[in-house]
Every structure is written in structure tokens, then in C-alpha cells.
């Protein structure tokens, strides 16, 4: 068997954030930025994700230049920021979105950000697909001017761009070289996507990132409760993570693999323990994917 190189892993923002979760009051991590970065590096990740609230807190306390130094000193070579939504709207919602955009774009060249995750959260206000395409194109162009890629992530609980199939078609229809896709296994599974179809759905040039996690076949609670509270380490659930990895590799993706873990259990763990367990599960799934690829002669 030919051994594949060990994948580079990026700890997505919530994986190192500790006992905090979006949409539930203050979404600011209780863990100091230096401690988070050092924990991520010490547990074997080379990528680090950060939300806008934590970014602003770090900017106002230690400064973005010092954060950049922390990242470099700890061997972090990939950085991801999130989350921009309402980039297609007007009025107060758009003003708030533009403020988020400014903060993230300002930080991107200082921190060496690979991509900024954006979505189309469903606020109940209908929007035409033409307008979504037009405004995503504009957002991606603005991102290019700031030197950062814009990575769209679909969610099954949005009515704007719900499935992975729809998201793949969306970024291809916009066809902006600076606007691409995050392939998230949670949203692919929950949206009913057949992993085997992924290489036909989207060319590699549109795949700006991948996120791995695991869960159960049946949704527990609401969709949001399920995605925030019920994820399990890769290989411990029913999402068939090795099959997803194998499919994404067939697309030709060669960037860092995001590890996005959110659960009630993990939020109670010391951050080093949470990061270690999440990474261990991912690496075991890569070993299984490697074995499958070797049997098929695709190593």
C-alpha cells in the first residue's frame, strides 16, 4: 500500500472556542486568543479559524499585528475567518453586514487569511436568485481587492441555497474566480447529497475549503439544535466520513481540511482535549480512506 501524506488540518472556529455557541447570547469565546492558538498548534493543526466577535476582541486587546505574530510563532499557516451574511440585502441588515465585511477584510492581509466563510442565512425575506448571484459576485470581487477568497457554505435550514447541489451550481453560475464553495459533510449529509456525485458536481477550482465532522442519521431536536449540539468525532457517527474524504479527493482538492466540531459534550472539555479527540477521529478516517483508495488502485 502506498501511504498518502498526512493531511493538513484546520481547526474551524468553534472547535477551539470552548463553551460558547452562536445564537445563544454572547458568542465570544471565553478562551484567550493566545491560549487558543497555542492549543491548536500543540494538538497538530496547521490552520486556525476565528469568528468576527473573537477577531474584534483580539484586535481591541492585543492588536491584529500581535495575533499575526502568534500565528507565525506557532506554525499556523492557514487562517479562516467567518461569517458574513445579508450581503444581498438593504437597510439596517445590510449596514450591519457591511460592518462585518469591513472588519474581516481589514484583518485578512494582516493575518494572511485564506478565505472568509459566508452564507445565506434564512431571515424569512424572499430574495431572487438573480440578486443573490449579482451580490455574491460583488462580494467576491470586493474580497479579491482585499486579497482574500470568499467561500460560500450552504445550510439545509436555509431556503435561499439549501443543498450542496444548489450551492455548487450557484458558485459556478456566478463564475467569479474569487468566489468558491465550502464542502461541509454535515450539510451534504443533511441535505441528502450522494457523496459519489461530488466529483461531477463541482470542479476543483471552485472548492475553497472542506469541513469534516460526524453525526447521526436522524436529526435530534431542531435543525439548529442538531447542528450546534449533536456532532460527534469523525468515525463515531453515521455520516461515512471516509467515503466523503475519498469523494472530495477525487475532485482534486489539496488544501487544508477543516475540522468543525460542535457539541454539548465537547463544550465542557478542556480545549486541548476537544481538539485532540476531534483530530484523532479525522486521522483515523483518513487511514480508512487511504486503504479504500489503495484497494481501488487510486493512490
Amino acid at each position: 500500500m502506498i501511504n498518502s501524506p498526512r493531511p493538513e488540518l484546520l481547526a474551524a472556529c468553534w472547535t477551539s472556542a470552548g463553551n460558547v455557541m452562536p445564537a445563544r447570547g454572547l458568542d465570544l469565546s471565553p478562551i484567550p486568543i493566545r491560549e487558543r492558538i497555542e492549543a491548536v498548534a500543540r494538538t497538530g493543526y496547521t490552520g486556525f479559524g476565528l469568528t468576527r466577535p473573537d477577531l474584534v476582541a483580539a484586535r481591541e486587546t492585543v492588536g491584529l499585528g500581535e495575533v499575526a505574530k502568534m500565528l507565525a510563532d506557532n506554525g499556523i499557516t492557514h487562517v479562516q475567518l467567518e461569517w458574513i451574511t445579508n450581503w444581498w440585502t438593504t437597510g439596517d441588515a445590510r449596514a450591519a453586514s457591511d460592518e462585518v465585511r469591513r472588519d474581516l477584510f481589514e484583518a485578512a492581509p494582516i493575518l494572511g487569511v485564506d478565505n472568509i466563510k459566508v452564507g445565506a442565512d434564512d431571515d424569512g425575506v424572499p430574495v431572487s436568485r438573480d440578486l443573490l448571484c449579482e451580490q455574491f459576485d460583488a462580494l467576491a470581487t470586493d474580497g479579491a481587492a482585499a486579497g482574500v477568497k470568499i467561500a460560500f457554505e450552504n445550510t439545509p435550514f436555509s431556503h435561499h441555497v439549501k443543498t450542496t447541489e444548489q450551492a455548487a451550481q450557484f458558485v459556478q453560475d456566478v463564475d467569479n474566480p474569487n468566489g468558491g464553495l465550502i464542502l461541509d459533510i454535515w450539510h451534504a449529509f443533511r441535505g441528502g447529497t450522494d457523496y459519489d456525485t461530488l466529483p461531477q458536481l463541482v470542479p476543483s477550482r471552485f472548492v475553497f475549503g472542506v469541513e469534516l465532522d460526524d453525526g447521526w442519521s436522524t436529526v435530534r431536536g431542531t435543525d439548529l439544535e442538531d447542528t450546534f449540539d449533536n456532532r460527534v468525532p469523525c468515525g463515531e457517527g453515521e455520516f461515512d466520513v471516509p467515503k466523503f474524504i475519498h469523494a472530495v479527493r477525487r475532485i482534486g482538492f489539496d488544501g487544508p481540511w477543516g475540522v468543525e466540531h460542535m457539541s454539548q459534550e465537547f463544550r465542557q472539555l478542556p480545549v486541548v482535549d476537544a481538539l485532540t479527540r476531534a483530530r484523532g477521529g479525522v486521522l483515523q478516517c483518513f487511514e480508512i480512506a487511504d486503504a479504500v483508495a489503495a484497494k481501488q488502485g487510486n493512490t
Side-chain angles (χ1 to χ4, degrees), residues 101-184:
R101 184 188 307 203
R102 284 191 294 271
D103 286 338
L104 300 188
F105 281 9
E106 173 197 3
I110 300 171
L111 303 185
V113 176
D114 295 50
N115 62 68
I116 294 173
K117 287 169 60 177
V118 310
D121 295 346
D122 187 11
D123 57 4
V125 179
V127 58
S128 72
R129 193 173 188 282
D130 286 347
L131 180 60
L132 278 179
C133 288
E134 172 192 303
Q135 290 300 310
F136 183 73
D137 187 38
L139 177 60
T141 297
D142 287 349
V148 63
K149 291 183 176 181
I150 302 300
F152 182 85
E153 181 178 337
N154 64 288
T155 55
F157 32 84
S158 168
H159 292 296
H160 298 323
V161 185
K162 193 177 182 71
T163 67
T164 300
E165 288 86 347
Q166 291 169 350
Q169 191 61 56
F170 174 66
V171 297
Q172 290 177 81
D173 286 349
V174 173
D175 198 20
N176 187 309
N178 202 58
L181 183 66
I182 295 283
L183 285 176
D184 186 318

Side-chain angles (χ1 to χ4, degrees), residues 168-169 171-172 180-181 183 198-208 250-253:
Q169 191 61 56
V171 297
Q172 290 177 81
L181 183 66
L183 285 176
L198 291 176
Q200 289 74 50
L201 281 180
V202 59
S204 61
R205 67 187 177 92
F206 286 104
V207 181
F208 288 179
R250 284 163 50 214
I251 295 173
F253 178 74

